[in-house]
Amino acid sequence: MGSVIRPGRSRHIMSALVCGLDVHKDSTYATILDSEGKIVDQTRMENEKVSSYLSQHKVGRVAMESSTAVAPLYRQLKKEGFDAVVSHPKKTKLIAEAKIKSDRVDSKAIAQLLRMDWLPLSYVPDEDTGALREKVRRRAFLVRERVKLRVKIKSCLTYQGLKWPEDHGLWTKGGVVWLHSLGLASVESYLRLIDVFSEEIKLLSGELKSEAEDDEDVKLLMTVPGIGYYSALLVKSEVGDIDRFPFAEKLCSYAGLVPSTYQSGGTVYHGAITKEGSRWLRWIMMECASTHVSKYDTWISRSYRCLAGRRGKKTARVAAARKLLVVCFSVLKNKRAFYDQP
């Protein structure tokens, strides 16, 4: 009698064999271990052959270290029903640091950690969340590149000993007309590039606004003062499934907004924030916190002003960003719009 494949279960026969994959752009080195940690097979192959290789050896679990190159292979293995996981590269190296480093050594280390359930896992978003994440990060990249070009223009003006008009902004219509009137070849070149970036940013912003209008979680996040459609989309894409965080402090830790802790004997010291996890989530929370405390009067901004008087604005801003992320967690977890505390 044939076995019944239940929904959500792997279609591959579970076995005690585990496989560690050291994945590169075009090839992968694989190490298969048995339940006692003995090497069953080690080999290098093209990425396209990994799936058939794993099926041939009836591998139960598969692990690979997080990188850009693993994304397509991971998606393929998951679609085909393999029990595949991705490890956190920095934490994996701390556990499995070796004096001799090679693809063979790395793949074996990953397999050993997987076999012993010591592998620190990295979150891999689903396809929809991954696509949204790429889009919001792409917009941030385009905006930053445009800022660099504007800085270059200002450097050109300074080099020429020119002072731009103070009665209007340099990037307003009047400011751009004035820049064109200078007839500087370098400035004209940068302005043409800025136009290209601005057009791409405009198109991408339109797409993101449309997505925000149809997303209930994004609408809820936008009720938080200081969070607009773009910030809400970025938070949504970086957080993914909010249920993977049991409480708000875990989310703050994921954003690297919690203080580092050093403990020795009976002494405990709390230092600067860890800056671990998602730098994108940390960045957008800091940006939203700046807007929140400068434009709105809430319990967060009142707490910010109190702390800024004692510890300085920089420390107070970090604390405000952490509080704002706690609010985002509550909004997403409880599916309830923001409300200010008395």
Side-chain angles (χ1 to χ4, degrees):
M1 183 175 178
S3 60
V4 178
I5 301 177
R6 293 182 174 86
R9 298 290 297 275
S10 171
R11 67 178 177 83
H12 293 273
I13 299 173
M14 292 300 293
S15 74
L17 298 182
V18 298
C19 182
L21 302 176
D22 189 37
V23 184
H24 298 275
K25 183 179 178 181
D26 300 312
S27 66
T28 293
Y29 197 96
T31 297
I32 298 177
L33 302 179
D34 62 17
S35 60
E36 297 180 353
K38 295 180 180 178
I39 296 175
V40 175
D41 190 65
Q42 283 187 309
T43 187
R44 182 183 295 280
M45 72 201 81
E46 296 175 354
N47 291 344
E48 293 77 13
K49 297 181 179 179
V50 172
S51 176
S52 58
Y53 171 79
L54 297 173
S55 296
Q56 175 188 344
H57 288 275
K58 295 183 174 59
V59 172
R61 293 182 294 163
V62 187
M64 60 200 85
E65 195 173 80
S66 179
S67 70
T68 303
V70 310
L73 180 57
Y74 172 82
R75 289 195 297 266
Q76 178 192 352
L77 294 181
K78 293 297 285 187
K79 283 182 179 179
E80 296 184 12
F82 286 98
D83 183 7
V85 296
V86 176
S87 73
H88 190 296
K90 185 175 181 180
K91 293 179 180 178
T92 302
K93 282 183 171 60
L94 287 175
I95 298 173
E97 192 66 46
K99 291 184 180 297
I100 300 175
K101 181 172 175 59
S102 67
D103 294 345
R104 178 179 60 84
V105 171
D106 286 351
S107 65
K108 182 181 177 182
I110 292 170
Q112 288 283 21
L113 292 172
L114 177 64
R115 183 181 68 86
M116 295 183 290
D117 289 325
W118 288 355
L119 196 67
L121 300 183
S122 179
Y123 171 67
V124 181
D126 57 46
E127 287 195 42
D128 290 340
T129 304
L132 176 61
R133 181 179 287 188
E134 186 281 327
K135 193 174 288 187
V136 294
R137 288 181 178 183
R138 178 159 31 109
R139 184 185 181 278
F141 167 78
L142 293 173
V143 171
R144 289 174 180 178
E145 292 304 303
R146 184 174 64 179
V147 169
K148 290 179 182 178
L149 291 169
R150 289 175 172 176
V151 171
K152 292 294 291 184
I153 287 178
K154 287 186 175 181
S155 296
C156 289
L157 297 179
T158 301
Y159 182 78
Q160 295 292 334
L162 298 170
K163 291 185 178 181
W164 47 90
E166 296 181 356
D167 57 339
H168 54 67
L170 193 56
W171 314 116
T172 61
K173 288 185 178 180
V176 173
V177 169
W178 179 80
L179 287 171
H180 282 304
S181 70
L182 299 176
L184 296 174
S186 57
V187 171
E188 291 297 318
S189 177
Y190 290 134
L191 286 174
R192 287 193 295 271
L193 290 172
I194 285 174
D195 288 341
V196 174
F197 278 103
S198 295
E199 185 61 29
E200 288 298 319
I201 292 168
K202 182 180 178 181
L203 290 172
L204 196 51
S205 296
E207 294 177 16
L208 291 171
K209 282 182 180 178
S210 297
E211 292 192 33
E213 292 171 358
D214 299 328
D215 193 306
E216 293 302 320
D217 286 339
V218 171
K219 289 179 183 178
L220 286 171
L221 287 171
M222 288 174 65
T223 64
V224 181
I227 296 183
Y229 82 92
Y230 175 76
S231 303
L233 285 169
L234 197 153
V235 171
K236 171 78 181 287
S237 68
E238 292 299 318
V239 171
D241 182 8
I242 191 64
D243 290 332
R244 68 191 182 97
F245 299 100
F247 43 87
E249 193 67 15
K250 286 287 186 180
L251 178 57
C252 293
S253 178
Y254 174 70
L257 286 171
V258 295
S260 54
T261 302
Y262 305 89
Q263 183 173 0
S264 178
T267 303
V268 179
Y269 169 73
H270 296 289
I273 58 173
T274 63
K275 293 187 178 181
E276 294 285 344
S278 172
R279 63 185 178 90
W280 292 94
L281 184 57
R282 182 169 61 254
W283 164 70
I284 202 63
M285 282 295 101
M286 294 292 286
E287 293 296 313
C288 291
S290 295
T291 302
H292 186 102
V293 300
S294 62
K295 294 185 177 180
Y296 302 95
D297 182 26
T298 67
W299 70 272
I300 295 177
S301 54
R302 291 190 290 272
S303 174
Y304 165 82
R305 289 192 290 270
C306 180
L307 185 60
R310 294 184 289 111
R311 302 284 300 277
K313 291 183 178 180
K314 185 177 180 180
T315 299
R317 184 182 173 218
V318 171
R322 184 163 59 247
K323 291 182 175 68
L324 203 60
L325 188 54
V326 170
V327 168
C328 290
F329 173 86
S330 178
V331 165
L332 291 173
K333 199 81 167 179
N334 301 316
K335 303 296 181 183
R336 187 169 63 178
F338 170 83
Y339 66 94
D340 190 21
Q341 299 177 9

